[in-house]
Amino acid sequence: MRREHPLEAVERDLDVSPRRRLELLEELGADAEALQAVLERRGYGPAQARRAAFRQLLPTGETLAELEAQHAPRVGRWARTAGWLDRVERLGITVAAVLAGAAACMTLISSGPLGSAVLAWPQVVVVALLAANWTLAAKRLWIDGDLRPELRRQLWERQVGLIVAAVALGALGAAWAGYSAYEALEAEAFAMSAIWDAVRRIVSFAALGFGAAIFGLFGWLAITPRLISDEMIERRISTFFAGSGLTPTSLKRR
């Protein structure tokens, strides 16, 4: 069983983009090999020389913080300097959710009477959550510079669930509006105004549900190229550790 590479802890703790992490790992790995060769020439054994090399080269917590600040995206560096880094995520998600919710409310209300909030308000919530979920992913990519695979999967699964919920609520809302309109039309002897009112409500529910789904899908597709690039680099990081050739003897606890 492969033991943990000394640099794996550094890779986990360093909150920068995968490309920057890979560059740092390759640099530290090359420096460690060079220092190990020097120590072996001084009489150290290979395993002892490797442990000693990593002890000298592994960055401290302060060094990691400096590296994160140095290699953060430009927007992230500005946020750190302005003292906004801790508030950017909350502010962005709040603004996106409020705007999405307001747009959804205006769409629903402008189409005429809702008849019931049982299906209307969940649609508003789903739209807001889709916007908030996408904003969180974008913030991690372009402000923090790092969206780890586990969080990436969680956000994608959440996005898929919300897209399905948006379509389902849109279809249910349109069906409910159509059924309610059918009963009303029977009572009103098919009045033309009632027909148009029913059409507006059906279109309103369907348009909001499917529009939210399209927004959620294409919004995620917009960040997919960056996600694919990060995944390719993360595979190179995995290859770096898998191909290190470290044995349990050379990875004894430092």
Side-chain angles (χ1 to χ4, degrees), residues 25-242:
L25 291 174
E26 291 175 341
E27 181 180 347
L28 288 175
D31 291 345
E33 290 181 1
L35 182 56
Q36 177 182 350
V38 171
L39 293 174
E40 287 180 10
R41 287 196 295 270
R42 295 178 181 177
Y44 285 74
Q48 185 182 18
R50 190 173 186 85
R51 290 196 299 272
F54 278 112
R55 269 200 305 270
Q56 295 184 41
L57 293 174
L58 286 180
T60 63
E62 292 183 359
T63 303
L64 287 177
E66 292 175 359
L67 288 171
E68 289 176 3
Q70 178 182 355
H71 294 293
R74 185 174 301 177
V75 177
R77 291 198 299 270
W78 172 84
R80 288 176 188 271
T81 304
W84 276 80
L85 190 60
D86 296 333
R87 288 173 282 179
V88 165
E89 181 176 328
R90 294 192 297 271
L91 179 63
I93 290 176
T94 301
V95 170
V98 169
L99 291 177
C105 288
M106 291 176 63
T107 302
L108 290 173
I109 293 173
S110 64
S111 347
L114 298 177
S116 174
V118 173
L119 292 173
W121 285 108
Q123 280 190 301
V124 174
V125 172
V126 167
V127 172
L129 290 176
L130 276 169
N133 194 65
W134 184 90
T135 301
L136 176 58
K139 183 260 181 184
R140 292 293 301 175
L141 286 173
W142 284 288
I143 294 181
D144 297 336
D146 186 18
L147 181 58
R148 298 291 174 129
E150 182 178 354
L151 179 57
R152 184 188 309 145
R153 285 192 296 269
Q154 291 176 358
L155 292 176
W156 167 240
E157 291 169 0
R158 189 183 305 166
Q159 193 82 350
V160 171
L162 290 170
I163 290 172
V164 172
V167 173
L169 287 171
L172 286 173
W176 174 86
Y179 177 76
S180 300
Y182 175 76
E183 292 184 333
L185 287 173
E186 285 189 333
E188 297 178 17
F190 296 95
M192 186 60 66
S193 61
I195 294 177
W196 285 114
D197 181 67
V199 171
R200 284 196 300 269
R201 283 186 289 160
I202 292 171
V203 171
S204 173
F205 276 110
L208 181 58
F210 287 96
I214 291 172
F215 160 76
L217 178 60
F218 281 91
W220 196 269
L221 288 176
I223 65 175
T224 297
R226 168 64 187 271
L227 296 178
I228 293 175
S229 175
D230 284 358
E231 287 178 0
M232 293 176 61
I233 296 173
E234 283 161 358
R235 284 196 291 269
R236 291 176 59 187
I237 292 175
S238 299
T239 302
F240 173 87
F241 290 128

Side-chain angles (χ1 to χ4, degrees), residues 1-8 241-242 244-254:
M1 180 177 175
R2 189 183 71 84
R3 301 285 295 277
E4 184 176 78
H5 191 290
L7 293 177
E8 288 189 47
F241 290 128
S244 62
L246 296 175
T247 63
T249 301
S250 63
L251 283 171
K252 291 179 180 177
R253 186 177 298 275
R254 300 187 299 278

